[in-house]
Amino acid sequence: MTVFDSLLAEISHLRPVRHYGQVGTMQASTLLVQGLSKRARLGDRVQIEDAQGRIIGGEILALNRDGAEVLPEEATEGLAIGDRVEHVGRNTIAPDDSWIGRVIDPYGEPLDGRPLARGTLPRGLRATPPAPARRKRLGGRLSTGLDAFNTLLPLVRGQRMGLFAGSGVGKTMLLGQLARGIEADVVVLALVGERGRELRDFVEDVLGPEGLARSVVISATSDKSPLARRRSALTAMAVAEHFRDAGKHVLLLCDSVTRFAEAHREIALSAGEAPSLRGFPPSTAHQIMSLAERAGPGEAGQGDITAVFTVLVAGSDMDEPVADILRGVLDGHVVLDRAIAERGRFPAVDLMRSVSRSLPAAASPGENALIAEARRLIGAWERAEMMVQAGLYAQGSDPLTDRAIRLFPKLDGFLSGQNARSNAESFARLKKALEG
């Protein structure tokens, strides 16, 4: 992109004709704006200016003959009847290749204090996925730098994986490892509703200079409006699609879908939608599935989006609505267990509750045999663990259990491996662990 392209993009964003309305009614969380009904469309953005000149963004949730119902993006203290409301237009984002290495907000504004160029092609936040009949198949297996993901839970190009975890079990650290280790041209990272102090820690320490150099970070912290929090995931997907359409392999990390769904719940309830699934409105399922379906392999001539979506599961409840919806549309799920984290093994992957749907195609017959044997032994150990610790198991009662007891420490150590240079190296370590 040249300087002139950037200048033309900024000029094209100017609005020579502006349309205004005014605040007519103020409710608990929404405003009824008069004068824009014939111009505005559902989902359009507006800007509200109060008497002190403060500008507040908003989004149109509903339209009727009396006016447009607007959900503000900030607190409404200080707004009054008759305040001017400007119609901004469609909800779009204009990504650019120069965004790599930058930290931005969901509206395409820089958060790192440096100027940010606008792209020449605005993209809608709710694009349609590639046509199912024309999408490519899943690609080859990716090296992740982590032994567990290189072998037992492989990730292939274009796969969509879910990461299910409670708070404090190493989810953020694992995301950083994946961002640094997975083979990809560009990493797009959405931080949805994270604590404000964690953004700098994540960018500088977890992601690091090497990870940031190939990444675009989109962040909306927990104090932001539900519109901004929901938009951060949608913006990240639009940015990923920009690079996918350029033929690149994109790694999309979304943390977390739970907060995305919670933000949508706030918006939907403000728009009058009735709650149903444990307080989530019926449209939540469609929102989550639409977001997930946009990731994955592209069409011929396009790149691919390999995606990892995280889900916060309270009390390890894998049947709560968000987890249940997302698990059904992904190509695999990884469960992080608190008990494993508390005994000091990271990543705290619960292998018996995790699965990659890229298997068995992603591995050779010999590799699949090693994976099956490792799963069989770890499963035997988990069934016998309580008896072993209580002193109730007698050596020699079952040959499989005897072997599982002998090899489990080595398999457990293998699952914590974090410096694998290749998939072949990881499988060599797994074979060595199984041989004892």
Side-chain angles (χ1 to χ4, degrees):
M1 182 174 179
T2 67
V3 175
F4 294 105
D5 290 334
S6 179
L7 180 60
L8 289 172
E10 294 294 335
I11 292 174
S12 67
H13 189 68
L14 297 175
R15 302 187 304 279
V17 178
R18 297 173 182 261
H19 299 268
Y20 293 96
Q22 63 179 10
V23 176
T25 304
M26 303 183 67
Q27 303 173 1
S29 58
T30 60
L31 309 174
L32 185 65
V33 176
Q34 299 171 337
L36 295 179
S37 298
K38 295 183 180 180
R39 176 68 184 177
R41 301 290 184 269
L42 282 178
D44 282 4
R45 292 197 68 221
V46 299
Q47 289 183 341
I48 309 150
E49 182 178 359
D50 65 13
Q52 287 72 42
R54 182 174 65 124
I55 303 296
I56 300 175
E59 183 174 310
I60 296 176
L61 300 183
L63 289 166
N64 55 54
R65 294 184 182 276
D66 296 327
E69 188 173 349
V70 172
L71 179 63
E73 294 170 353
E74 299 178 30
T76 57
E77 284 84 355
L79 294 182
I81 301 296
D83 282 346
R84 190 171 67 171
V85 180
E86 180 182 355
H87 177 249
V88 176
R90 301 299 296 168
N91 244 331
T92 59
I93 193 78
D96 186 69
D97 291 355
S98 64
W99 288 15
I100 297 176
R102 303 299 303 276
V103 182
I104 66 175
D105 72 5
Y107 303 98
E109 299 297 328
L111 293 176
D112 51 14
R114 294 182 286 142
L116 188 71
R118 192 189 309 274
T120 56
L121 179 64
R123 308 182 69 97
L125 296 183
R126 299 185 182 278
T128 56
R134 296 198 299 270
R135 289 189 106 159
K136 296 177 292 185
R137 298 173 65 90
L138 293 176
R141 190 171 63 200
L142 301 171
S143 178
T144 66
L146 302 171
D147 284 333
F149 290 89
N150 283 356
T151 55
L152 302 170
L153 297 167
L155 188 66
V156 302
R157 179 166 171 152
Q159 186 173 354
R160 298 167 302 186
M161 184 76 81
L163 187 60
F164 298 77
S167 58
V169 295
K171 170 178 58 63
T172 302
M173 187 62 67
L174 178 56
L175 278 183
Q177 291 171 325
L178 293 175
R180 295 192 304 270
I182 291 181
E183 306 168 39
D185 299 316
V186 181
V187 179
V188 178
L189 178 62
L191 298 177
V192 185
E194 290 289 340
R195 293 179 286 271
R197 66 169 183 80
E198 290 186 333
L199 175 59
R200 186 169 180 178
D201 291 342
F202 187 90
V203 170
E204 296 181 358
D205 300 332
V206 179
L207 195 59
E210 182 181 351
L212 182 60
R214 63 170 188 161
S215 302
V216 182
V217 180
I218 296 99
S219 174
T221 52
S222 59
D223 61 308
K224 299 300 181 182
S225 71
L227 289 171
R229 284 182 274 127
R230 185 179 70 172
R231 184 181 171 116
S232 61
L234 299 174
T235 296
M237 186 62 74
V239 172
E241 289 169 334
H242 164 80
F243 291 106
R244 178 204 64 194
D245 292 349
K248 298 183 182 297
H249 175 216
V250 184
L251 173 64
L252 172 67
L253 304 174
C254 183
D255 185 23
S256 69
V257 174
T258 302
R259 296 193 183 107
F260 168 79
E262 290 171 346
H264 173 71
R265 176 173 59 186
E266 293 181 51
I267 297 168
L269 294 179
S270 297
E273 191 173 349
S276 56
L277 297 170
R278 299 192 193 179
F280 287 98
S283 60
T284 302
H286 178 69
Q287 290 285 328
I288 293 174
M289 290 186 286
S290 296
L291 181 70
E293 278 297 325
R294 291 167 64 183
E299 298 182 15
Q302 295 180 336
D304 306 300
I305 301 175
T306 302
V308 177
F309 299 97
T310 71
V311 179
L312 290 169
V313 286
S316 299
D317 181 10
M318 290 290 289
D319 295 322
E320 62 92 18
V322 177
D324 194 43
I325 293 167
L326 190 62
R327 191 170 63 248
V329 297
L330 297 182
D331 307 312
H333 56 272
V334 175
V335 179
L336 302 185
D337 186 79
R338 186 174 302 280
I340 296 175
E342 287 174 348
R343 62 179 173 83
R345 196 251 281 168
F346 294 96
V349 175
D350 186 340
L351 182 63
M352 304 314 294
R353 299 172 64 197
S354 304
V355 65
S356 173
R357 294 179 183 171
S358 63
L359 287 174
S364 68
E367 292 169 342
N368 278 315
L370 291 175
I371 293 170
E373 179 67 5
R375 281 185 169 274
R376 196 161 67 101
L377 290 171
I378 292 175
W381 163 258
E382 290 189 357
R383 289 191 298 271
E385 181 180 10
M386 188 172 295
M387 289 191 298
V388 172
Q389 293 179 344
L392 300 176
Y393 178 76
Q395 183 76 17
S397 300
D398 177 59
L400 178 62
T401 302
D402 291 342
R403 186 162 181 253
I405 293 171
R406 179 169 58 88
L407 294 181
F408 178 74
K410 293 186 177 181
L411 288 172
D412 194 51
F414 168 79
L415 290 173
S416 65
Q418 301 179 10
N419 297 304
R421 291 188 295 270
S422 67
N423 293 323
E425 178 183 311
S426 294
F427 271 106
R429 290 179 184 171
L430 178 59
K431 184 176 180 180
K432 184 177 181 180
L434 290 171
E435 290 172 348

